Amino acid sequence: MAWRGRTALKDRILSCLPYLLPLIEVYGFGLLFSLILPAIFQQLITWLYLPLYPVMLLYGYVSQFVPFFGFILFFVLYLLVVRNEKLIHFLRFHTMQALMLSILASLFAAILELLGLLRIPNVFSSLASPIIPAASAPILVVLLVGAIFLVVVASCIYSIVQALRGMYAEIPIISEAVYGQTR
């Protein structure tokens, strides 16, 4: 969608911050997927996440001491940003879209764990020990995890670029649901 009014630079930057949550949540997916990739792609994933390591360490550290921290953070963002009519629609839209991407990643991780196909490590354990034993994971599961990782990371990067440009990021299925929540 095009412009719904002008957005200030601070609103554009604030709209990018919620996308850190889905990027952090799919990090374990990326580590597992990188094990079947050539070394150049492993370095690319490491380079991509390098600026996020301090935030990821903080997220993982707090998650150790606050039970269900990701769930609490989700509701805080949803109730204080998305449902707050006093904030501009641009910020609420991008926050809800980031939450939808986070839900997508969490849902797939929960399904894979429930089916016993894979145990996705949490952020803190991924940073402490970046090598994940993938020998027991079937190749189709690793490819599915890789597809989820690529979709979420590409969607986040696209959305961050669009937010910095002051535009709404249109992701086919997700944006329709987001518009339904933020009208």
Side-chain angles (χ1 to χ4, degrees), residues 22 25-26 29 74 97-111 147-153 155 171 173-174:
E25 289 188 0
V26 296
F29 285 42
F74 170 83
Q97 189 153 285
L99 292 177
M100 294 293 275
L101 289 170
S102 178
I103 289 171
L104 176 76
S106 298
L107 185 63
F108 275 109
I111 289 171
I148 295 164
F149 171 75
L150 292 175
V151 166
V152 171
V153 169
S155 298
I171 301 172
I173 297 171
I174 295 174

Side-chain angles (χ1 to χ4, degrees), residues 15-38:
S15 295
C16 295
L17 292 179
Y19 290 107
L20 294 176
L21 184 61
L23 285 173
I24 289 171
E25 289 188 0
V26 296
Y27 179 68
F29 285 42
L31 287 178
L32 181 64
F33 183 56
S34 72
L35 293 177
I36 65 167
L37 296 174

Side-chain angles (χ1 to χ4, degrees), residues 141-158:
V141 172
V142 175
L143 291 175
L144 175 66
V145 165
I148 295 164
F149 171 75
L150 292 175
V151 166
V152 171
V153 169
S155 298
C156 286
I157 291 171
Y158 169 71

Side-chain angles (χ1 to χ4, degrees), residues 107-180:
L107 185 63
F108 275 109
I111 289 171
L112 289 173
E113 286 184 28
L114 185 64
L115 294 175
L117 295 173
L118 190 64
R119 171 82 174 108
I120 305 294
N122 65 13
V123 173
F124 198 71
S125 66
S126 297
L127 291 175
S129 146
I131 298 174
I132 302 171
S136 62
I139 190 68
L140 290 177
V141 172
V142 175
L143 291 175
L144 175 66
V145 165
I148 295 164
F149 171 75
L150 292 175
V151 166
V152 171
V153 169
S155 298
C156 286
I157 291 171
Y158 169 71
S159 298
I160 288 169
V161 169
Q162 289 294 91
L164 288 175
R165 293 178 58 204
M167 307 278 296
Y168 287 80
E170 295 290 336
I171 301 172
I173 297 171
I174 295 174
S175 293
E176 288 299 319
V178 170
Y179 280 124

